[in-house]
């Protein structure tokens, strides 16, 4: 630890790291002087079939247009360009299968695969603008499928392979997908989990209404038998794999939709976050280059996120591939066959940049440092964190044990909506502080404000503020699929007078003006870095015939950040009121949404605390769930309600 005059616990980069870094401190100044020129410079790192004539058009705010008039092909930028520039033999993916199989895929291989897939999707009759749902695990074909869609201008919608058939169907319907790409099954701790079967279930006609899906393209991964619908289902190895490996990429408008990715909001209905092409690729590749100090010639990069979440989109697929990275892609869980798997993988491939979530760091801490200590992790030079605030204890452990006490940690704050990293240290410049995301990256502007939109004072610890983004940025969402009104209401109404984007997070500024993100201030929970809305879980619970009413809160959890705690009132028909019922309800939520949404605790209670207007006071339930003194109960209809809730908790 280095003491600095400003902060007693700040970690500046070593002189050696700073000297070799991709950018120097002057970048902040340059970006601030002329933001648009700065972003144009970043966009110039990409290949444009036609250059833009205007950097930013904000006249239709809050829907931005970046690089107006520009035309590019995202897949060409991620693949073809590297091959054409003589780097075809460079490894793009070191893929590590869960059972121990592995594949090495060069940029030339990737180009052939993506071209085959693009040719076959064209043969299926898909044309630019058609949507494709991708429900797949961490295998190379998932990336090939995404890039083939990008190449043809088909917006993809990845649905995390842990989601239920119900959740998958909801997303397919909302985007009206014509094609689903999936696998027979995925490996999960040595056992094949059926995915094709889940797709079959999702696509069953709802009454008389068939789904919008015309074909299901299936990659064989685990080799189990699957049901087959003739005419609809197609094997990847019989179609894509046989197609022509040459395909010429066409250019699309910079604002052509690239993907839709559903995320939880404050209501039960997930929001289809829409991202477009030029601005998104500019900011993902720029941030990947500067935040991780990525050097394509020497680095081996590993982002452990699932490709089904935004981190996988931006920092496994688009950002790194646009930068010609060599990366590790791992299919399985970190403890299969044992807890050494990640460290063995780092040793095997000589990983230099490792990007993961705080919840996993805390899990590694629980398993004990003797596990990583048994491996040579000296190749690691940059560590990244994403998804939730990282607690200082986990931060220090991460740096000491995984980063040999020297690797800079970049704590990157961003969201599905922002598309790319917004607030983060730069590893060759920033003196990092354990737990702080620090400052917006050059080119990005953010503020921490109070209820009225006034900037909070530095070092103010009592009144924490709201995090807002006060300038448009290239990778910003362009809307919510099919619901632009909700887009405005969710992100832009809160500070409409100022025209700021409200992130939904609380934050504070320390005495140096560095930013600390404190977590969500709305009804969105963050469980192991996964965003889940209280309303979604409540609606799954009340879907059970035994439940009359449900209220769900996120309570702090040592490992997962937050854990889901539900309070339910049972119906008169509920015959069982004890442990069996609680187990059944937990299973119901896992089935309806996903195992990641399974409540940690469910308490059967006789009543819920409500205000006179009938709103459930979640804040008070959070106090109960975390065993705290109750906050202000004066607005409750019946303050006595807590006696019975507390009694209910001991059930
Ligand atoms: O609350 C913030 C938290 O994750 C939310 C965004 O979730 P999602 O859209 O699923 O994207 C996760 C990966 C980018 C944010 O509103 N969050 C994300 N990164 C951080 C964070 N909270 C604190 N520090 C972070 N570094």
């Amino acid at each position: 630890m280095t003491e600095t005059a400003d902060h007693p616990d700040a970690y500046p980069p070593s002189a050696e790291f700073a000297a070799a870094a991709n950018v120097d401190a002057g970048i902040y100044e340059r970006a601030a002087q002329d933001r648009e020129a700065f972003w144009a410079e970043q966009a110039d790192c990409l290949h444009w079939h036609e250059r833009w004539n205007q950097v930013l058009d904000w006249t239709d705010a809050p829907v931005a247009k970046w690089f107006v008039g520009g035309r590019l092909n995202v897949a060409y930028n991620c693949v073809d360009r590297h091959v054409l520039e003589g780097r075809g033999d460079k490894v793009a993916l070191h893929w590590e299968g869960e059972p121990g199989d592995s594949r090495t895929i060069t940029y030339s291989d990737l180009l052939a695969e993506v071209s085959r897939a693009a040719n076959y999707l064209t043969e299926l009759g898909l044309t630019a603008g058609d949507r494709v749902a991708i429900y797949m695990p961490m295998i190379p074909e998932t990336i090939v499928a995404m890039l083939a869609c990008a190449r043809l201008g088909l917006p993809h919608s990845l649905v995390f392979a842990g989601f239920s058939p119900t959740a998958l169907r909801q997303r397919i319907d909302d985007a009206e997908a014509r094609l689903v790409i999936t696998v027979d099954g995925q490996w999960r701790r040595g056992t094949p989990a059926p995915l094709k079967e889940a797709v079959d279930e999702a696509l069953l006609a709802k009454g008389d209404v068939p789904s919008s899906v015309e074909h299901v393209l299936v990659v064989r991964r685990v080799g189990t038998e699957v049901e087959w619908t003739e005419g609809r289902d197609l094997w990847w190895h019989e179609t894509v794999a046989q197609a022509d490996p040459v395909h010429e990429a066409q250019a699309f408008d910079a604002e052509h939709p690239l993907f839709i990715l559903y995320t939880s909001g404050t209501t039960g209905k997930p929001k289809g976050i829409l991202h477009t092409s030029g601005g998104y690729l500019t900011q993902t590749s720029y941030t990947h280059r500067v935040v991780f100090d990525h050097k394509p010639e020497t680095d081996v990069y590993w982002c452990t996120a699932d490709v089904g979440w935004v981190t996988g989109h931006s920092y496994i697929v688009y950002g790194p591939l646009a930068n010609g990275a060599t990366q590790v892609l791992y299919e399985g869980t970190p403890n299969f066959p044992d807890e050494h798997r990640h460290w063995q993988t780092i040793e095997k491939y000589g990983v230099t940049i490792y990007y993961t979530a705080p919840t996993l760091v805390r899990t590694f801490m629980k398993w004990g440092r003797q596990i990583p200590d048994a491996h040579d992790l000296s190749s690691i030079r940059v560590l990244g964190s994403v998804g939730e605030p990282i607690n200082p204890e986990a931060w220090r452990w991460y740096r000491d044990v995984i980063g040999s006490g020297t690797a800079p940690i970049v704590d990157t704050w961003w969201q599905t909506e922002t598309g790319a990293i917004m607030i983060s240290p730069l590893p060759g410049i920033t003196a990092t502080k354990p737990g702080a995301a620090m400052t917006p990256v050059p080119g990005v502007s953010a503020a921490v404000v109070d209820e009225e939109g006034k900037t909070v004072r530095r070092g103010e610890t009592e009144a924490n503020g709201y995090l807002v983004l006060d300038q448009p940025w290239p990778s910003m969402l362009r809307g919510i699929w099919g619901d632009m009104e909700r887009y405005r209401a969710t992100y832009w109404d809160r500070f409409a007078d100022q025209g700021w984007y409200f992130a939904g997070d609380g934050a504070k500024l320390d005495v140096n003006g560095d930013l600390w993100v404190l977590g969500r201030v709305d009804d969105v929970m963050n469980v192991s870095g996964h965003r889940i809305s209280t309303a979604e879980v409540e609606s799954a619970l009340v879907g059970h015939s035994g439940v009359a009413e449900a209220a769900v809160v996120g309570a702090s959890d040592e490992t997962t950040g937050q854990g889901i705690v539900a309070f339910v009132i049972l119906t008169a028909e509920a015959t069982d009121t004890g442990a069996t019922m609680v187990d059944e309800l937990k299973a119901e939520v896992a089935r309806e949404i996903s195992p990641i949404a399974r409540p940690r605790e469910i308490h059967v209670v006789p009543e819920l605390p409500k205000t006179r207007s009938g709103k459930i006071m979640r804040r008070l339930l959070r106090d109960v769930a975390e065993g705290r003194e109750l906050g202000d109960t004066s607005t409750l209809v019946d303050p006595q309600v807590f006696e019975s809730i507390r009694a209910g908790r001991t059930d």
Side-chain angles (χ1 to χ4, degrees):
M1 186 179 87
T2 312
E3 301 243 336
T4 71
D6 285 329
H7 195 273
D9 186 18
Y11 298 73
S14 68
E16 203 185 338
F17 192 106
N22 286 348
V23 289
D24 60 40
I27 190 176
Y28 286 98
E29 186 67 34
R30 285 201 304 282
Q33 263 166 15
D34 189 343
R35 263 170 37 88
E36 291 190 16
F38 177 80
W39 282 118
E41 203 184 295
Q42 306 316 321
D44 266 330
C45 298
L46 301 176
H47 173 89
W48 294 82
H49 281 69
E50 264 173 64
R51 205 167 185 273
W52 60 90
N53 46 45
Q54 188 185 353
V55 175
L56 168 67
D57 177 357
W58 191 226
T59 49
D60 278 341
V63 182
K65 290 194 194 77
W66 281 86
F67 309 111
V68 184
R71 292 178 72 77
L72 80 171
N73 185 291
V74 169
Y76 180 96
N77 272 283
C78 292
V79 189
D80 306 43
R81 184 163 69 119
H82 308 307
V83 178
L84 292 171
E85 289 169 9
R87 295 186 297 277
D89 291 339
K90 186 175 196 287
V91 174
L93 301 172
H94 287 297
W95 177 71
E96 184 75 11
E98 194 193 73
D101 48 343
S102 61
R103 278 164 70 187
T104 305
I105 297 171
T106 64
Y107 276 93
S108 293
D109 298 336
L110 195 58
L111 177 58
E113 295 296 312
V114 172
S115 300
R116 284 194 172 99
N119 280 323
Y120 186 65
L121 297 190
T122 306
E123 203 179 310
L124 277 181
L126 294 161
T127 55
D130 288 342
R131 275 82 58 203
V132 175
I134 299 180
Y135 185 60
M136 291 175 81
M138 296 282 283
I139 58 173
E141 286 82 357
T142 310
I143 295 180
V144 170
M146 292 167 78
L147 291 168
C149 287
R151 192 174 189 89
L152 298 173
L154 310 170
H156 56 65
S157 161
L158 270 94
V159 180
F160 171 60
F163 273 127
S164 66
T166 315
L168 172 62
R169 175 61 181 261
Q170 194 178 20
R171 288 157 176 77
I172 287 173
D173 285 352
D174 190 74
E176 297 173 278
R178 288 185 65 190
L179 172 71
V180 179
I181 309 181
T182 190
V183 286
D184 52 353
Q186 69 167 334
W187 289 113
R188 265 303 171 252
R189 295 200 173 84
T191 312
L195 281 201
K196 168 67 166 60
E197 200 179 301
V199 173
D200 289 341
E201 195 182 327
L203 297 186
L204 288 177
K206 278 193 198 159
D208 293 340
V209 189
S211 80
S212 51
V213 171
E214 294 157 29
H215 291 289
V216 178
L217 184 54
V218 189
V219 175
R220 185 141 73 196
R221 170 60 186 136
V222 294
T224 48
E225 289 254 325
V226 289
E227 295 272 325
W228 209 247
T229 304
E230 285 305 330
R232 184 196 72 180
D233 297 349
L234 307 154
W235 281 116
W236 177 285
H237 59 268
E238 291 173 358
T239 56
V240 173
Q242 312 296 327
D244 184 353
V246 179
H247 178 270
E248 196 183 333
Q250 305 296 315
F252 291 97
D253 190 274
E255 286 300 334
H256 189 83
L258 179 61
F259 66 84
I260 304 166
L261 184 58
Y262 288 85
T263 189
S264 295
T266 52
T267 72
K269 188 172 185 280
K271 302 177 284 197
I273 303 300
L274 175 67
H275 282 287
T276 59
S277 305
Y280 173 81
L281 198 63
T282 297
Q283 194 172 336
T284 50
S285 56
Y286 153 70
T287 47
H288 177 256
R289 189 164 56 242
V290 302
V291 172
F292 299 106
D293 190 43
H294 177 252
K295 301 188 194 316
E297 302 306 320
T298 45
D299 276 320
V300 178
Y301 166 85
W302 184 13
C303 167
T304 72
D306 192 282
V307 78
W309 307 116
V310 75
T311 308
H313 285 56
S314 302
Y315 297 104
I316 293 176
V317 183
Y318 295 110
L321 294 179
N323 290 340
T326 292
Q327 60 179 321
V328 170
L329 182 72
Y330 171 52
E331 181 183 34
T333 49
N335 55 353
F336 188 85
D338 58 35
E339 291 84 3
H340 290 265
R341 192 67 189 262
H342 274 216
W343 321 122
Q344 269 160 353
T345 305
I346 288 173
E347 264 185 322
K348 177 171 172 188
Y349 297 108
V351 170
T352 57
I353 304 171
Y354 179 75
Y355 189 29
T356 196
T359 184
L360 200 56
V361 175
R362 290 191 294 266
T363 303
F364 292 145
M365 286 171 78
K366 234 174 21 192
W367 290 344
R369 72 171 291 162
Q370 73 285 356
I371 295 172
D373 279 352
H375 300 271
D376 176 8
L377 305 181
S378 60
S379 56
I380 289 195
R381 61 178 204 94
V382 178
L383 293 170
S385 172
V386 62
E388 53 174 318
I390 180 164
N391 49 309
E393 191 195 356
W395 194 103
R396 291 198 182 87
W397 189 92
Y398 195 27
R399 181 176 161 106
D400 288 343
V401 179
I402 311 304
S404 314
T406 53
I409 297 179
V410 288
D411 176 2
T412 62
W413 178 89
W414 58 295
Q415 308 177 302
T416 304
E417 292 86 342
T418 70
I421 294 169
M422 302 293 283
I423 303 175
S424 170
L426 294 187
I429 301 172
T430 316
T432 54
K433 298 172 189 172
M438 303 298 292
T439 53
V441 297
V444 167
S445 181
V448 182
V449 300
D450 66 12
E451 292 276 336
E452 276 89 53
K454 290 201 209 63
T455 309
V456 299
R457 287 211 315 276
R458 289 179 174 200
E460 187 77 74
T461 47
E462 289 303 305
N464 293 318
Y466 299 114
L467 177 57
V468 297
L469 302 168
D470 55 2
Q471 298 284 343
W473 63 100
S475 63
M476 69 193 295
L477 74 167
R478 302 300 198 262
I480 294 177
W481 184 259
D483 197 349
M484 291 309 274
E485 202 29 60
R486 189 175 178 197
Y487 169 59
R488 283 168 214 276
T490 309
Y491 305 106
W492 302 93
D493 273 5
R494 183 71 184 73
F495 294 103
D497 292 346
Q498 298 88 345
W500 294 340
Y501 170 93
F502 174 49
D505 278 307
K508 65 174 186 182
L509 294 175
D510 67 17
V511 287
N512 313 113
D514 292 323
L515 203 148
W516 298 65
V517 180
L518 302 169
R520 305 289 305 189
V521 292
D522 54 12
D523 292 329
V524 173
M525 300 173 288
N526 192 328
V527 183
S528 299
H530 300 313
R531 228 166 116 170
I532 301 163
S533 84
T534 54
E536 253 175 304
V537 180
E538 284 165 5
S539 104
L541 285 167
V542 296
H544 188 282
S545 62
V547 176
E549 237 188 306
V552 167
V553 295
S556 31
D557 186 287
E558 229 172 68
T559 309
T560 60
Q562 283 191 313
I564 301 177
V565 179
F567 297 85
V568 296
I569 302 177
L570 299 181
T571 54
E573 298 101 78
T575 44
D576 180 81
T577 54
T580 321
M581 182 64 164
V582 164
D583 287 347
E584 194 179 314
L585 292 177
K586 286 185 181 175
E588 173 82 3
V589 176
R591 222 174 12 247
E592 269 299 300
I593 308 174
S594 161
I596 58 175
R598 179 192 293 270
R600 185 185 77 188
E601 298 163 33
I602 294 185
H603 304 290
V604 175
V605 293
E607 278 173 278
L608 290 171
K610 289 194 183 149
T611 61
R612 282 173 192 86
S613 61
K615 199 167 152 14
I616 293 171
M617 303 259 319
R618 286 210 180 69
R619 178 175 56 78
L620 295 176
L621 287 174
R622 223 172 287 131
D623 290 341
V624 175
E626 293 179 348
R628 267 196 308 270
E629 283 290 297
L630 286 187
D632 181 9
T633 57
S634 61
T635 52
L636 281 182
V637 179
D638 174 15
Q640 297 301 320
V641 69
F642 280 98
E643 302 303 319
S644 38
I645 290 180
R646 286 227 165 91
R649 276 208 70 198
T650 56
D651 278 354

